[in-house]
Amino acid sequence: MAITLQEQDNGVTVYQVTENPGIKSNIYCEISWCSADSRYFVFDQQTGDGARNPSEYILCEFGTWKTERLGEGIRPTMSHTGIFYYRTRTENGVQELRCVDLATGVQDALWEFPEDFQPRGWVAVSRDERYLVYGTLVSYDPQHFTIERVDRQAGVTETLYEDPDIWNPHTQFEPGKGRSVLVQHNRGSQFGADGTRILRYGPEGNTIFILDVETGEVTRLQLGRPHTPGTT
């Protein structure tokens, strides 16, 4: 049951949806965590230190403020049609990709990732939900990361791009046609052979480039040094 926290002079009412202890968040502000009709939203609730999955995902209905637990996992994402995707570690240690249609509540397990899967960032979903894109770690010695593409229509997974400096790629689809992906490029980053991060980025700083999801073609942007002040 929601608590009326504040009634402002302009007619806006602020509600508090949760009462139990623990850290909550709206996950990440780059993506709208709502169903396509804006009836529901999803928030993240931390499960505690040492848990198999660090977060559980709670569905909440605007207005009634009724909540429902969707599942637990790590690094979720949302499609433009209101399908909520999340990666979860099962009891036998397998990493599995699941999805929930927020409008109907129907949940599916899509597939299991390979045993050596070491993800970087979250799974990004194209507008038509044909493609899923995410970063992976190949090796720290030599330093090597990739962007992987899953073609759900063809049922295949391929390496789309390789680079030593995309350890935190923040992959995000362009929301129109959904055939281009923004990738964060931590130029000059450095890791030790044991995976210890030495430098987030070098003197050249961060930038962002565009990756074509079908061809792997890279378009460099005049963002960050030397064209603009550094990015975050």
Side-chain angles (χ1 to χ4, degrees):
M1 181 64 68
I3 299 170
T4 300
L5 201 63
Q6 187 180 55
E7 294 184 353
Q8 300 181 356
D9 293 339
N10 60 3
V12 171
T13 302
V14 180
Y15 296 96
Q16 178 179 315
V17 177
T18 63
E19 296 181 45
N20 58 313
I23 297 175
K24 321 287 192 301
S25 78
N26 64 345
I27 308 177
Y28 212 90
C29 57
E30 289 178 0
I31 299 171
S32 176
W33 300 98
C34 290
S35 58
D37 61 2
S38 297
R39 179 179 176 183
Y40 301 101
F41 69 96
V42 182
F43 63 90
D44 174 297
Q45 186 167 265
Q46 291 190 11
T47 51
D49 294 338
R52 185 174 67 249
N53 291 296
S55 298
E56 60 179 354
Y57 307 115
I58 309 298
L59 182 71
C60 185
E61 184 179 35
F62 283 107
T64 68
W65 311 113
K66 293 178 180 178
T67 59
E68 177 185 345
R69 184 180 184 274
L70 298 178
E72 62 178 39
I74 184 173
R75 300 288 188 178
T77 194
M78 178 75 76
S79 76
H80 292 278
T81 57
I83 308 298
F84 181 77
Y85 291 81
Y86 65 100
R87 203 171 72 238
T88 188
R89 295 184 181 94
T90 64
E91 291 183 2
N92 59 4
V94 171
Q95 291 192 60
E96 187 176 77
L97 184 68
R98 297 179 180 174
C99 70
V100 187
D101 186 328
L102 298 187
T104 65
V106 174
Q107 184 158 176
D108 290 309
L110 299 179
W111 72 80
E112 295 179 356
F113 290 100
E115 288 187 13
D116 59 352
F117 178 61
Q118 299 189 63
R120 309 297 299 193
W122 59 69
V123 177
V125 186
S126 63
R127 186 176 184 86
D128 60 3
E129 298 181 50
R130 174 178 175 177
Y131 295 113
L132 306 178
V133 174
Y134 50 82
T136 63
L137 164 69
V138 177
S139 169
Y140 285 120
D141 187 21
Q143 189 170 311
H144 187 194
F145 303 92
T146 66
I147 301 293
E148 303 289 314
R149 180 195 65 197
V150 176
D151 184 337
R152 296 185 61 189
Q153 181 174 303
V156 295
T157 302
E158 297 177 298
T159 297
L160 192 61
Y161 180 75
E162 302 179 67
D163 195 288
D165 292 328
I166 52 170
W167 62 269
N168 188 27
H170 277 257
T171 50
Q172 185 175 347
F173 270 97
E174 178 272 320
K177 295 181 179 179
R179 290 298 180 265
S180 300
V181 180
L182 284 177
V183 180
Q184 180 173 291
H185 194 192
N186 292 68
R187 297 175 296 184
S189 63
Q190 187 177 347
F191 286 81
D194 62 352
T196 301
R197 189 177 67 216
I198 299 169
L199 286 175
R200 284 180 174 269
Y201 48 83
E204 56 269 65
N206 292 332
T207 188
I208 297 172
F209 62 81
I210 297 173
L211 185 63
D212 188 296
V213 74
E214 294 180 328
T215 66
E217 180 181 355
V218 172
T219 301
R220 303 289 175 184
L221 304 177
Q222 293 186 352
L223 180 66
R225 302 170 188 150
H227 306 289
T228 72
T231 66
T232 60

